[in-house]
Amino acid sequence: MHELELVELQKSFKEKMAVHNVSMSLKSGIYGLLGENGAGKTTLMRMICGILEPTQGYILCDGMNIQKMGGAYRSLLGYLPQDFGYYEDFSAERFLYYMAALKAMPEEYAKNRMEELLEIVDLTAVKKKKLKTFSGGMLRRVGIAQALLNNPEILILDEPTSGLDPKERVRFRNIISSLGKNRIIILSTHIVSDIEYIADQIIIMKKGKILRTGTEAELSEDVKDHVWKCLVTETEAMELNEKFIVSNLRNQGNQVELRIVSKEKPIEDAKRVEVTLEDVYLYHNA
């Protein structure tokens, strides 16, 4: 089992600081990197993959700087970028063979592994069809398969469920959950449900900085007693929406039911309710 250590990482692009002073230690398990678009998640993950060099700071894998490890580090990695490139005239099968060759995988092992992964991502029946005929969700599944080809010990997934339907999302979560025991998995997303049930640790990122890290239970403590539900008129709902973080709004006949994240009680009749990860995320991104 490996350990990654991020030490005072920074990355700037001209005047913009994309990642600011990030330090953390990552061991085996699933890490959910949660943040809105533009939070710096992709830049951070590209540095972890060795694609981008930090402006400042460094990354260690088992005590060695990844920039000096070269191929030894890349052999540990599986990476699914947010927008992965592919040759649209390749079939799914040919594309995976091609990716296996780039990873210098032995031919017989690559063939067996490819067949196994096509089954896992439910593409066996269409493996000989050209990628240009695939839907967005099917292409995403091809991307997931290529990231897993070399059975990586460090798996980096950037917005992996983009384009997947609800059933495919569940399938993906189950795959990742089963892989998370003996490797480091970092999964970035702005969709709370992608990591709510599978992440061992949740990392909340905003404007290039890490706001909070911990288990769901630990992060929920931050918002304990700060989540409310109340039934109000439409006029009151509009007023409360301007003043507080409203995480959910639902019409109930002539009234409106609001779920509000607030340290103060929003109205006299409001009642405290159980905290969800979405409440935590909204609280820290207010």
Side-chain angles (χ1 to χ4, degrees):
M1 291 188 288
H2 300 279
E3 180 177 0
L4 286 176
E5 189 174 356
L6 282 55
V7 183
E8 298 180 353
L9 275 188
Q10 293 195 169
K11 184 64 180 179
S12 57
F13 299 97
K14 295 183 179 180
E15 300 297 318
K16 182 183 178 182
M17 183 71 73
V19 173
H20 182 69
N21 200 33
V22 169
S23 295
M24 67 177 77
S25 181
L26 307 172
K27 298 180 181 180
S28 292
I30 301 172
Y31 295 83
L33 182 57
L34 191 58
E36 61 191 9
N37 292 330
K41 305 188 301 298
T42 294
T43 300
L44 178 61
M45 298 181 93
R46 287 170 66 85
M47 285 194 287
I48 294 172
C49 287
I51 297 169
L52 289 177
E53 286 195 31
T55 305
Q56 186 175 310
Y58 52 90
I59 301 169
L60 303 177
C61 178
D62 301 331
M64 296 183 63
N65 192 312
I66 66 168
Q67 297 294 335
K68 297 180 180 178
M69 291 177 68
Y73 181 65
R74 288 193 297 273
S75 69
L76 301 175
L77 282 174
Y79 176 46
L80 174 61
Q82 190 169 357
D83 298 303
F84 82 97
Y86 62 92
Y87 296 102
E88 58 181 26
D89 283 326
F90 277 21
S91 66
E93 183 179 56
R94 186 183 176 193
F95 176 73
L96 291 178
Y97 268 130
Y98 172 71
M99 294 304 296
L102 291 181
K103 294 172 189 274
M105 295 170 61
E107 187 174 347
E108 189 60 29
Y109 174 78
K111 182 178 185 301
N112 293 333
R113 181 67 175 156
M114 183 192 71
E115 295 293 342
E116 177 188 357
L117 288 169
L118 284 169
E119 187 69 33
I120 287 172
V121 299
D122 195 24
L123 291 174
T124 300
V126 294
K127 66 181 182 181
K128 297 201 179 286
K129 291 190 175 182
K130 292 185 177 181
L131 295 180
K132 65 183 177 184
T133 68
F134 280 21
S135 68
M138 291 167 73
L139 287 171
R140 208 67 190 155
R141 282 185 271 155
V142 173
I144 292 166
Q146 69 80 26
L148 293 171
L149 264 175
N150 59 327
N151 200 20
E153 296 177 68
I154 301 170
L155 182 59
I156 312 293
L157 304 166
D158 193 358
E159 300 284 354
T161 63
S162 174
L164 300 186
D165 64 32
K167 184 178 178 181
E168 289 172 324
R169 267 201 161 89
V170 171
R171 178 197 292 272
F172 169 78
R173 286 202 301 263
N174 290 341
I175 292 169
I176 298 306
S177 185
S178 69
L179 293 171
K181 292 181 181 178
N182 299 309
R183 72 193 80 208
I184 298 170
I185 298 178
I186 308 172
L187 188 163
S188 90
T189 185
H190 62 280
I191 303 169
V192 173
S193 61
D194 280 354
I195 60 172
E196 190 168 14
Y197 301 109
I198 64 171
D200 301 302
Q201 292 280 318
I202 295 162
I203 304 163
I204 298 178
M205 192 171 187
K206 182 180 182 182
K207 294 182 179 178
K209 297 181 179 181
I210 302 299
L211 298 183
R212 190 77 167 83
T213 302
T215 65
E216 183 178 357
E218 289 168 344
L219 297 186
S220 294
E221 281 295 311
D222 297 347
V223 195
K224 187 180 179 181
D225 299 330
H226 297 341
V227 185
W228 311 84
K229 188 173 282 188
C230 56
L231 204 59
V232 297
T233 66
E234 288 187 15
T235 301
E236 289 172 321
M238 291 176 64
E239 293 172 354
L240 290 169
N241 197 37
E242 290 291 323
K243 187 176 180 182
F244 298 103
I245 302 168
V246 176
S247 63
N248 196 47
L249 181 153
R250 183 170 61 180
N251 289 313
Q252 297 266 38
N254 294 326
Q255 292 186 297
V256 181
E257 183 183 80
L258 298 181
R259 184 182 182 90
I260 294 174
V261 183
S262 170
K263 289 183 179 180
E264 63 179 275
K265 193 173 185 178
I267 63 170
E268 186 61 35
D269 292 336
K271 296 180 180 179
R272 288 192 179 97
V273 291
E274 189 175 345
V275 177
T276 68
L277 183 57
E278 187 172 70
D279 298 322
V280 174
Y281 175 61
L282 290 171
Y283 176 81
H284 282 293
N285 277 274

